[in-house]
Amino acid sequence: MLYGWMNNHEFRFGNTLSFSFDIKHAQTDSLARVGTINTPHGPIQTPAFIPVGTKATVKSVLPEAMADLGAQALLSNAYHLYLQPGSDILDEAGGLGEFMNWPGPTFTDSGGFQVLSLGVGFKKVLAMDAQTFRRDDVIAGNKDRLAHVDDEGVTFKSHLDGSMHRFTPEVSMQVQHQIGADIMFAFDECTTLHNTRPYQELAMDRTYAWAIRCLDEHKRLTEERTTKSYQALFGVIQGAQYEDLRKKAASDLGSMESSGQSFDGFGIGGALDKGQLGTIVSWVNEILPEDKPRHLLGIGAPEDLFVGVENGCDTFDCVLASRIARTSAVYTMEGRFNLSNSRFKRDFTPIDDECDCYTCTHYTRAYMHHVFRGKEIVSATLATIHNERFIVRLVDQMRQALLDGNFADMKADFLGRYTHRSGQARD
Ligand SMILES: [Zn+2]
């Protein structure tokens, strides 16, 4: 029953005391696997798409509706929550999940990407195709930079009020422990495809040194904050498009141990050329320890999720599903299109007649067209519910296909249809 929670304010996920990862099935012909990540706020069946609620809210959608559409966990951002309302506020509230009324598992990104984005003036979507961006489009001039990185950390200017702040690996760990997500990421230096090779090497060395400092501070904070449930720490693999750098990062962080602590899992981050996504991810996942979960940071377009899953990634996050929804763009089995297009004015069919989401069950394309054209707030809510459900369900279907032994067929069927009628499948 959709929205049964309206009369039932308790919605609960199962609880376990600590963090673990169990692999249920591993493909023999690819790196893909099916498993369960157990967190203190419940399990995540993998592969799984983790919707993004950057500032402790998935924009325009209630957490109950996110649970209703099948979201198993949500990912927020440490940088944004540190600036507003302040990570101490989340600590006082009992942690991110409690604060935002989401009882399930939570992730926080370290803030490294956002802080460094200020530094180089990244586009909101990190360049996924080195061919289509000129250097000047991606990297701001020095005088315009809002962040400066050195070997100890990053000094940056708040995008909210211009105040100056400094993130170090220790500060990032302190902030993420206060925010209290089940899964945190180590503070890393995120580069672009346009940085030079010598700079990529320098950034890798920094990320390595920072990873050790994150483990040490994480261990200290875990021992200090004994009343809190365990928070898992994932190391972040950088190295841009370079095979030797990616493999070195995977080897170094995969075996890293400091203060008797190793990483609980790994994030694959940084500059990822879309055309090389599968190659880069497989370099890394062939080296990382098999028994720990791997999260592909910031990837969520349908065709990329297949590439990530078959190359051994377990979880994914991306703001795209909700961000494009607010501009009237929706994913469907027939490709991606914009509901504000006048061809939908008298179209009384659902957005996607194969979708089981609340929006597709109750509303037509004509209604969606109307609320978008009228700039009604509900347009964002309904379109976001559909897009998040579409992506969450797609990855759920990949998981089932792996278990059923028909992943290749399922992928061919989906991509054949998804790209067939739409020239707009890519972002
Ligand atoms: Zn739908």
Side-chain angles (χ1 to χ4, degrees), residues 8 18 41 55 70 83 85 87 113 150 162 191 216-217 219 252 272 292 312 315 336 342 356 370 398 426:
N8 176 10
S18 60
H41 292 89
K55 302 177 187 175
L83 288 178
S87 44
F113 171 73
D150 57 62
T191 59
D216 293 343
E217 184 66 2
K219 174 81 170 179
D252 287 349
L272 290 162
K292 293 186 175 180
T315 50
R336 185 180 141 176
S342 55
D356 59 359
H370 158 67
M398 291 183 207
R426 293 211 153 187

Side-chain angles (χ1 to χ4, degrees), residues 104-335:
T106 48
F107 292 57
T108 41
D109 199 351
S110 70
F113 171 73
Q114 282 69 24
V115 167
L116 271 300
S117 297
L118 299 170
V120 292
F122 284 161
K123 301 282 187 184
K124 277 207 160 184
V125 177
L126 191 56
M128 280 286 283
D129 175 2
Q131 311 308 314
T132 58
F133 285 80
R134 288 183 304 115
R135 183 183 181 86
D136 293 346
D137 292 335
V138 183
I139 303 180
N142 207 38
K143 66 177 168 43
D144 299 322
R145 294 187 178 196
L146 297 174
H148 291 276
V149 61
D150 57 62
D151 287 343
E152 291 301 303
V154 185
T155 302
F156 61 96
K157 189 187 272 189
S158 163
H159 72 281
L160 295 177
D161 62 6
S163 56
M164 295 305 294
H165 300 266
R166 185 163 170 80
F167 263 24
T168 62
E170 290 77 17
V171 170
S172 176
M173 285 295 96
Q174 290 155 16
V175 164
Q176 291 191 82
H177 268 263
Q178 283 194 316
I179 293 171
D182 297 299
I183 295 172
M184 312 177 285
F185 289 93
F187 191 61
D188 60 313
E189 181 175 1
C190 187
T191 59
T192 73
L193 291 170
H194 304 268
N195 288 112
T196 60
R197 163 87 194 201
Y199 193 86
Q200 302 285 7
E201 291 175 15
L202 176 68
M204 279 253 313
D205 289 344
R206 273 198 191 118
T207 295
Y208 178 84
W210 292 1
I212 293 173
R213 287 165 58 186
C214 282
L215 281 173
D216 293 343
E217 184 66 2
H218 171 57
K219 174 81 170 179
R220 189 186 74 75
L221 290 164
T222 301
E223 287 174 357
E224 185 180 280
R225 296 163 59 87
T226 50
T227 58
K228 305 281 179 179
S229 57
Y230 182 71
Q231 296 177 254
L233 178 60
F234 285 22
V236 178
I237 309 299
Q238 292 286 353
Q241 69 272 46
Y242 300 103
E243 182 174 3
D244 58 331
L245 297 186
R246 284 282 178 186
K247 287 183 169 176
K248 184 176 189 311
S251 172
D252 287 349
L253 272 73
S255 59
M256 183 177 278
E257 195 176 305
S258 191
S259 303
Q261 178 90 38
S262 56
F263 288 113
D264 298 294
F266 300 91
I268 302 171
L272 290 162
D273 186 333
K274 189 163 179 136
Q276 264 195 293
L277 183 65
T279 307
I280 292 171
V281 168
S282 68
W283 289 336
V284 169
N285 284 342
E286 279 170 3
I287 291 173
L288 286 176
E290 276 181 40
D291 59 349
K292 293 186 175 180
R294 306 148 179 172
H295 180 92
L296 187 53
L297 285 153
I299 297 295
E303 62 277 20
D304 296 333
L305 292 166
F306 281 98
V307 173
V309 166
E310 66 193 359
N311 285 290
C313 295
D314 304 301
T315 50
F316 305 85
D317 76 276
C318 190
V319 292
L320 221 51
S322 56
R323 183 177 292 155
I324 68 167
R326 297 194 298 277
T327 71
S328 97
V330 285
Y331 297 119
T332 74
M333 286 303 292
E334 313 299 332

Side-chain angles (χ1 to χ4, degrees), residues 351-352 355-361 382 385-387 389-390:
I351 297 172
D352 184 339
C355 181
D356 59 359
C357 85
Y358 177 80
T359 304
C360 290
T361 310
L382 293 174
I385 286 173
H386 167 76
N387 274 358
R389 174 60 186 157
F390 186 89

Side-chain angles (χ1 to χ4, degrees), residues 382-401:
L382 293 174
T384 302
I385 286 173
H386 167 76
N387 274 358
E388 294 285 8
R389 174 60 186 157
F390 186 89
I391 300 293
V392 163
R393 186 184 185 205
L394 178 63
V395 180
D396 287 352
Q397 288 167 340
M398 291 183 207
R399 180 170 70 242
Q400 192 58 48

